[in-house]
Amino acid sequence: MPPANVVVYEHADCRDHETARTGDEHQEGPSRLDAIRDRLQRLDGVRFTDDFPPATHTELSRVHSKAYIQVLNAIERDYNSGALDAVGPFSPHVAKALFPGAPICGMTMVSRGTMRAARRAAGAVIAAIDGVIVSRQPGNSSDGGDGGESGDAEAAPPPVHAFCLVRPPGHHACVDGYDP
């Protein structure tokens, strides 16, 4: 049996999402990416790519409300202008803007690099889905071969399977970004 054809989508931007205040630790940090990558590198048939764009505003608008995206953009502007400078809780920003009076739950953290990392993580998911769908189309090889011309040794096969090694993980990202 040929080795699996797994493409791991990763990008350095995803390391910029800080989740711990100075001197603290948080289980969802950049070291999680390192540990997972180390294990994946040991497997046959796994290759890595960072060749994908961040998700666009249009793509994000397909799953998130306009109001939520405006909150995200405002947070990013506040970090870029210096109005925010430290790692801090994310939920108060969203609750204040979209759910006044709602209880503040959870400790999802936000930092200067969070929005860039989140757009890149969403872009990884989009690229991974597109790659897997392409690999399933007639005429594409799913057996680890390149599916191209026999003299095309440089062409990589499309992914039969994909894994997104990204942060933030996105499991709290609802339509309006808040799940009280």
Side-chain angles (χ1 to χ4, degrees):
M1 177 186 323
N5 183 11
V6 178
V7 176
V8 177
Y9 293 80
E10 64 177 357
H11 199 278
D13 286 353
C14 294
R15 302 183 72 77
D16 295 337
H17 168 56
E18 296 296 329
T19 51
R21 294 180 173 129
T22 304
D24 291 340
E25 288 186 32
H26 191 280
Q27 72 275 9
E28 205 297 288
S31 62
R32 180 179 67 82
L33 299 178
D34 298 333
I36 295 169
R37 189 178 210 287
D38 181 58
R39 295 298 291 249
L40 292 172
Q41 284 179 307
R42 300 177 197 174
L43 302 174
D44 288 336
V46 175
R47 56 192 166 89
F48 296 82
T49 185
D50 63 359
D51 186 18
F52 56 88
T56 66
H57 176 79
T58 299
E59 291 165 333
L60 294 174
S61 296
R62 292 180 185 143
V63 294
H64 297 299
S65 71
K66 180 179 179 180
Y68 180 57
I69 292 171
Q70 289 172 337
V71 170
L72 298 178
N73 290 337
I75 293 169
E76 186 172 41
R77 275 193 308 275
D78 286 349
Y79 273 108
N80 289 340
S81 72
L84 292 173
D85 61 358
V87 174
F90 176 69
S91 297
H93 298 281
V94 178
K96 180 180 174 185
L98 301 178
F99 305 99
I104 305 299
C105 301
M107 285 306 297
T108 299
M109 302 302 273
V110 64
S111 66
R112 179 175 309 281
T114 297
M115 302 313 154
R116 180 177 56 256
R119 282 190 297 272
R120 190 64 74 165
V125 172
I126 293 165
I129 291 168
D130 288 348
V132 170
I133 289 172
V134 165
S135 74
R136 311 269 195 224
Q137 299 298 313
N140 285 317
S141 174
S142 62
D143 63 3
D146 69 13
E149 298 296 320
S150 60
D152 190 6
E154 295 297 317
V160 173
H161 306 284
F163 182 84
C164 295
L165 184 55
V166 297
R167 7 184 348 267
H171 58 279
H172 295 293
C174 302
V175 172
D176 285 318
Y178 188 64
D179 190 11

